[in-house]
Amino acid sequence: MHVKEILQKITIKKGDITKEQVDAIVNAANSHLRHGGGVALAIVKAGGVEIQRESDEIIKKIGMVPTGHAVITNAYRLPCKFVIHTVGPVYGEGNEDEKLHKAIYNSLYLAHLYNLKSIAFPAVSSGIFGFPKDRCAKILIDTAIEFLENIQTSIEKVVFCLFDDETYGYFEEYYRKLI
Ligand code: ADP
């Protein structure tokens, strides 16, 4: 498929991801799945404490979630069906670009395994974890394109839902370069 056709499946928007009516929203989680700040806290506040409880059960079973990996829980009171919790890199820990790519790719792959059609991402790692916002935009969009190009998938729509003007600006700018 041509990149321009793939880009039609990708949407850049400004907003609160907890309001997104997609099959799954992605949480920018930490390895302990302790949803204590940033988008993770917003997700638990809007969706319910059950999301934290289910996350705690996962940690009990598998231990920590390594950077670049993703797990899935139900979404309870959120308008989406599932929350995919992925762990992006902390800026400065090394190999951040590859780890961020892996976190996004594995989130898409998990959505694909669940036969989902739509997924929304925040700017993973670019808040508390300190990843530069412009590079985050490029890696997230490039990874979505790569995935949609190479995997025959149920996913028809990938939304990047950005919370602030600055982050939205970087995503919009990079997306526009590609069209
Ligand atoms: P990380 O620890 O991976 O950096 P953060 O939650 O601190 O994760 O931030 C990731 C991004 O999510 C930041 O750009 C932050 O502004 C954004 N964010 C925070 N709350 C929301 C929300 N409700 N919807 C969408 N994005 C959000």
Side-chain angles (χ1 to χ4, degrees):
M1 214 190 295
H2 199 271
V3 172
K4 291 209 161 58
E5 277 173 63
I6 288 165
L7 284 171
Q8 286 171 9
K9 298 183 177 183
I10 298 175
T11 306
I12 312 292
K13 69 191 279 190
K14 215 190 118 184
D16 177 352
I17 201 165
T18 64
K19 307 250 160 48
E20 281 299 300
Q21 300 199 358
V22 286
D23 289 340
I25 64 168
V26 175
N27 178 21
N30 55 46
S31 284
H32 302 281
L33 302 182
R34 282 195 202 118
H35 311 309
V39 70
L41 184 60
I43 288 170
V44 171
K45 273 192 179 164
V49 71
E50 294 92 334
I51 295 174
Q52 183 63 68
R53 285 203 202 111
E54 211 182 315
S55 298
D56 294 343
E57 289 304 314
I58 292 170
I59 295 297
K60 259 192 223 156
K61 271 190 211 140
I62 69 166
M64 277 171 37
V65 181
T67 305
H69 288 235
V71 297
I72 192 164
T73 66
N74 290 296
Y76 303 93
R77 280 171 288 289
L78 292 171
C80 57
K81 296 179 192 144
F82 297 99
V83 180
I84 291 174
H85 305 266
T86 195
V87 182
V90 177
Y91 196 64
E93 71 179 29
N95 293 327
E96 297 96 348
D97 288 13
E98 285 152 56
K99 288 174 181 169
L100 187 56
H101 169 270
K102 192 173 163 189
I104 303 310
Y105 196 94
N106 281 332
S107 301
L108 289 163
Y109 201 75
L110 198 46
H112 164 77
L113 289 178
Y114 274 69
N115 210 26
L116 306 184
K117 289 192 174 146
S118 55
I119 179 169
F121 285 90
V124 176
S125 280
S126 76
I128 298 160
F129 282 4
F131 201 98
K133 295 174 178 34
D134 55 340
R135 254 163 75 195
C136 174
K138 177 175 164 36
I139 291 169
L140 266 57
I141 293 172
D142 284 349
T143 306
I145 293 169
E146 179 200 339
F147 187 90
L148 294 168
E149 255 182 338
N150 292 299
I151 308 285
Q152 195 137 24
T153 178
S154 57
I155 300 171
E156 293 168 359
K157 189 178 175 193
V158 178
V159 179
F160 292 104
C161 180
L162 299 321
F163 205 48
D164 60 276
D165 285 323
E166 193 195 0
T167 311
Y168 172 77
Y170 285 122
F171 275 75
E172 182 61 23
E173 189 186 342
Y174 186 67
Y175 182 86
R176 231 177 304 140
K177 267 191 207 159
L178 298 170
I179 51 176

